[in-house]
Amino acid sequence: RWVIRISEDHYIKDVAKELAALGMSKQVILAELGSITGQADARMVAKMRKVEGVLEIEPDSAIRLVSPEGDKS
């Protein structure tokens, strides 16, 4: 799973279509964050980086939020 950051100068849905054409699936467009998440083979990352409007591609990672009081479980 990958997180792709998109330039503000590009329409995010157009970039998503181009990424899908390269094989990215299960896309989630996070327009407010200027990002797209989705699944793609690691071998496709170099091609995805060349899509106009793509600023950065990183592996998705789990984020665990903890309350300010700490984890009391």
Side-chain angles (χ1 to χ4, degrees):
R1 190 144 183 92
W2 301 94
V3 177
I4 296 98
R5 223 171 43 112
I6 308 303
S7 167
E8 292 179 7
D9 299 343
H10 291 81
Y11 188 56
I12 197 165
K13 289 185 180 182
D14 290 342
V15 177
K17 286 179 189 176
E18 289 189 51
L19 293 170
L22 290 174
M24 180 177 236
S25 63
K26 299 186 180 181
Q27 290 183 345
V28 176
I29 296 174
L30 306 166
E32 303 82 23
L33 301 175
S35 299
I36 301 169
T37 64
Q39 294 182 347
D41 190 291
R43 295 174 290 183
M44 296 304 299
V45 172
K47 288 182 181 181
M48 292 190 308
R49 281 195 171 104
K50 293 178 183 177
V51 171
E52 192 171 335
V54 170
L55 294 176
E56 184 177 39
I57 300 177
E58 297 180 355
D60 194 6
S61 59
I63 298 174
R64 183 171 177 241
L65 301 177
V66 178
S67 71
E69 293 84 32
D71 188 2
K72 297 183 180 187
S73 57

